[in-house]
Amino acid sequence: GPVSRLRNIGVANSTGDLLVFVDADVSLTDDWYRWINAAMERIRVEPMLVTGSHCLVPQDATSLLEKYWFASFQHSASSHLGTAHLIMTRQLFDLVGGFSEVLETGEDYDICMRIRRSGGRIEEDARLKVIHDDFPQTFPAFVRREAWHGTGDCRSLSAVFASKVAIASLVFLALHLMILIALSGGALATGIAVIVALMLFLLLLSYRKFKAHGPKVVGVNAVIYYFYLVGRSFALVRGLAKK
């Protein structure tokens, strides 16, 4: 079954009052062991709190994607934490009914949103450092990864319009369609104008997400955002076609 079902099976076969989700390709650091007891005690005091952290890239990372895209997510503002490193009480997990087993991916975002609606709070604990050892190294692998991750946003029309990423993908597709129509119709100036609009759109997305990391990161990630939205657009078109 989907990974969400496997996580639920893991919980069903556990006995502790706290649940720590860690993916198989995530390594725990010395800092994690140093601070985990304090983090667990805090959650016991605040049972409606969800914590964990965004994964760090390996210290010897050399790929552009790791150095600029994935490294920039560390300590960034986010509405949710991924199940690669997620910690909560069993009480809260049971309250929201665990992970949705109808989702092929995106179960982390879904459970965090349901926790928020139930009065819970999501807060990263940057002291709990973990390293993700399997980030994609190439752009084709990155596109495939995002095409898979995007399936959770495309299970229904309501899910599409509830997802900011899916809406951005719709805008991305619409701009490309406008470019093709303009260029095929001989409207070169219009096509160039829409291409400029597309570039500004990518810069805006990158600025909103990565502005704390400086202009160089914003610029590089604006280019990477193009491939990110290519992957998410594949998921969107495939999902809508099935409907």
Side-chain angles (χ1 to χ4, degrees):
V3 67
S4 52
R5 183 183 179 206
L6 302 180
R7 297 190 196 283
N8 286 341
I9 290 172
V11 172
N13 285 275
S14 66
T15 58
D17 62 325
L18 297 181
L19 305 172
V20 181
F21 298 95
V22 182
D23 278 0
D25 53 4
V26 169
S27 301
L28 308 179
T29 67
D30 290 342
D31 282 333
W32 190 90
Y33 287 104
R34 184 176 299 117
W35 292 108
I36 186 60
N37 287 334
M40 290 194 296
E41 288 306 315
R42 183 183 177 195
I43 295 176
R44 285 193 173 98
V45 174
E46 301 179 59
M48 296 296 286
L49 174 67
V50 174
T51 192
S53 65
H54 297 294
C55 298
L56 307 175
V57 301
Q59 289 186 347
D60 59 352
T62 58
S63 75
L64 195 72
L65 288 164
E66 286 181 313
K67 292 170 64 177
Y68 285 92
W69 182 265
F70 293 109
S72 299
F73 279 91
Q74 299 163 14
H75 321 319
S76 65
S78 179
S79 60
H80 73 288
L81 289 167
T83 35
H85 181 221
L86 189 68
I87 307 171
M88 70 182 75
T89 62
R90 179 182 296 273
Q91 171 187 339
L92 182 54
F93 184 88
D94 290 341
L95 175 68
V96 298
F99 293 108
S100 172
E101 297 187 9
V102 302
L103 298 177
E104 181 181 348
T105 183
E107 79 287 344
D108 44 11
Y109 177 82
D110 174 76
I111 197 171
C112 284
M113 294 304 100
R114 286 187 282 119
I115 285 170
R116 284 182 181 275
R117 290 194 294 269
S118 298
R121 189 162 57 87
I122 317 295
E123 183 181 307
E124 180 186 12
D125 189 336
R127 301 173 303 175
L128 300 175
K129 296 179 181 179
V130 300
I131 298 172
H132 195 296
D133 298 311
D134 196 28
F135 283 125
Q137 304 291 305
T138 66
F139 281 93
F142 180 62
V143 170
R144 288 193 297 270
R145 177 184 190 267
E146 295 309 323
W148 179 69
H149 275 301
T151 57
D153 292 336
C154 308
R155 62 189 185 276
S156 66
L157 284 176
S158 60
V160 169
F161 289 108
S163 167
K164 294 179 181 178
V165 174
I167 292 172
S169 300
L170 284 172
V171 174
F172 182 77
L173 287 170
L175 288 170
H176 279 80
L177 181 60
M178 291 169 64
I179 293 169
L180 288 174
I181 292 173
L183 295 181
S184 63
L188 181 60
T190 301
I192 292 174
V194 181
I195 290 172
V196 172
L198 173 61
M199 295 169 62
L200 292 174
F201 177 62
L202 296 171
L203 274 171
L204 176 62
L205 292 175
S206 185
Y207 176 77
R208 291 188 62 184
K209 188 70 178 178
F210 304 113
K211 58 185 176 183
H213 298 277
K216 182 178 181 180
V217 171
V218 170
V220 173
N221 280 342
V223 176
I224 296 176
Y225 242 119
Y226 184 91
F227 295 92
Y228 172 83
L229 289 177
V230 166
R232 292 303 179 112
S233 296
F234 276 136
L236 184 63
V237 171
R238 188 169 58 233
L240 292 178
K242 290 180 179 178
K243 302 301 178 186

